Amino acid sequence: VQLQAFGGGLVQAGGSLRLSCAPSGSLFSVNRMAWYRQAPGNQRELVASITSVGKTVYGDSAKGRSTISRDNAKNTVYLQMNSPKPEDTAVYYCNAFLQVQPLRGFSDYWGQGTQVTVSN
């Protein structure tokens, strides 16, 4: 199973950013999905997470400006960020806590990351 993210690139400050991520390959169940980000010289930090029943948690940097959502039928998670700022520039990583087979436990999977650069 691989997580594939889409939507990164160059974004203008004050505009909007939308990322999406979905696992490819065969899997049985997806629990929590999340977005993390890591800027140069910084630790990876949580942007937002969402469970399969829609419970959300937002990191401090994303509160009020970001919305995480998911489509359970497609096992796809979305991140909408409004009015991004240059300090939102980072590599954004998709994360999923999922079960590949019914008799196997859940494990964390990570995408390779997508670069988001916010310019003035």
Side-chain angles (χ1 to χ4, degrees):
V1 173
Q2 291 185 329
L3 297 181
Q4 296 179 315
F6 301 93
L10 184 63
V11 182
Q12 205 156 25
S16 65
L17 168 69
R18 183 173 173 86
L19 303 176
S20 64
C21 174
S24 63
S26 176
L27 57 89
F28 180 70
S29 177
V30 183
N31 193 340
R32 176 183 178 269
M33 302 186 80
W35 288 98
Y36 287 78
R37 71 185 189 185
Q38 187 168 19
N42 291 355
Q43 290 186 332
R44 190 173 297 190
E45 63 177 3
L46 173 71
V47 180
S49 68
I50 185 168
T51 68
S52 58
V53 295
K55 182 179 179 181
T56 58
V57 174
Y58 289 91
D60 289 341
S61 62
K63 286 179 181 177
R65 298 190 299 120
S66 299
T67 302
I68 189 170
S69 60
R70 65 188 281 174
D71 182 334
N72 287 335
K74 299 178 181 179
N75 289 322
T76 300
V77 63
Y78 305 93
L79 180 70
Q80 176 77 35
M81 181 179 288
N82 297 321
S83 299
K85 306 172 184 178
E87 49 263 45
D88 293 316
T89 295
V91 177
Y92 284 70
Y93 294 92
C94 177
N95 167 260
F97 191 58
L98 60 84
Q99 189 179 24
V100 177
Q101 296 176 357
L103 297 182
R104 293 178 63 178
F106 283 83
S107 297
D108 260 327
Y109 285 77
W110 291 89
Q112 289 188 336
T114 183
Q115 176 70 45
V116 172
T117 302
V118 183
S119 65
N120 281 317

